[in-house]
Amino acid sequence: MELSGNHSMRRVGSATDVEFAEIEVFAPTVEASWAALQRRYASKITDAEIDHLFACFILGLTSPAYAEGEPALHFDVCRALVSAKLPPDRTEAALHAVPEPTQPWVASACDLIEKQGGKIGLSLRGKTRNFDDFLTAEANDAAHQGASAITREEQHDQTRRGAGKD
């Protein structure tokens, strides 16, 4: 499985600075899946194989929300989530290369783990009811917080100007 395909990349800042507000939805699951993979496979397969299994899980996890959209955005989200646990070189390897299996079951495990990620992704999508509504609510909340901060700053400035007249 190669996630990169022929996708062009949409960068926000540098490659390591890509951030998406919606990643917060996936963060607890990413942490738990990484810990589970480490616990279960650390002494049985190579780091490259574990990294690739993690990337497969992330692809499945994010597919319910992104598979129908722009492939480059989906890939960027996968990269951002994988890079939350792996350094840049291992992130790129996990996303672009399939390591030679050291155990016969590893190849089939990739598909199973990706499917499990998809099931969890569907569950997360159901919990947020409509992912687009979730993102809109997050954006509205951020805009409201920004507007509130500006209002507080303006009030503070007016108070200081009023106090300086005495």
Side-chain angles (χ1 to χ4, degrees):
M1 172 192 80
E2 177 164 326
L3 302 180
S4 64
N6 59 4
H7 307 148
S8 62
M9 295 304 300
R10 182 182 57 81
R11 301 245 186 251
V12 178
S14 73
T16 57
D17 292 339
V18 176
E19 290 189 30
F20 302 90
E22 60 268 25
I23 285 179
E24 291 180 24
V25 171
F26 300 114
T29 306
V30 168
E31 291 291 326
S33 66
W34 178 251
L37 286 168
Q38 291 293 311
R39 202 173 35 253
R40 184 161 186 180
Y41 299 117
S43 63
K44 298 176 180 146
I45 59 176
T46 66
D47 285 346
E49 289 171 306
I50 293 172
D51 295 352
H52 187 68
L53 290 174
F54 181 58
C56 291
F57 177 83
I58 296 300
L59 176 65
L61 178 68
T62 56
S63 287
Y66 293 98
E68 299 299 318
E70 180 185 339
L73 175 61
H74 188 192
F75 187 72
D76 283 349
V77 170
C78 288
R79 171 181 277 126
L81 290 169
V82 171
S83 69
K85 299 309 295 175
L86 299 177
D89 59 327
R90 286 176 57 188
T91 295
E92 293 307 309
L95 294 171
H96 294 282
V98 179
E100 193 64 39
T102 58
Q103 303 290 325
W105 52 265
V106 173
S108 62
C110 290
D111 290 335
L112 293 173
I113 287 174
E114 182 179 337
K115 287 177 184 170
Q116 184 63 30
K119 288 177 185 175
I120 294 170
L122 282 172
S123 174
L124 285 174
R125 187 172 183 158
K127 287 179 184 174
T128 58
R129 293 169 30 113
N130 181 329
F131 200 72
D132 293 334
D133 288 347
F134 171 78
L135 295 178
T136 300
E138 289 289 308
N140 288 342
D141 185 47
H144 175 72
Q145 289 177 9
S148 295
I150 291 169
T151 301
R152 283 191 304 273
E153 189 171 314
E154 288 173 349
Q155 289 171 343
H156 178 72
D157 287 347
Q158 288 174 351
T159 302
R160 280 192 312 165
R161 280 184 285 209
K165 291 181 180 180
D166 292 340

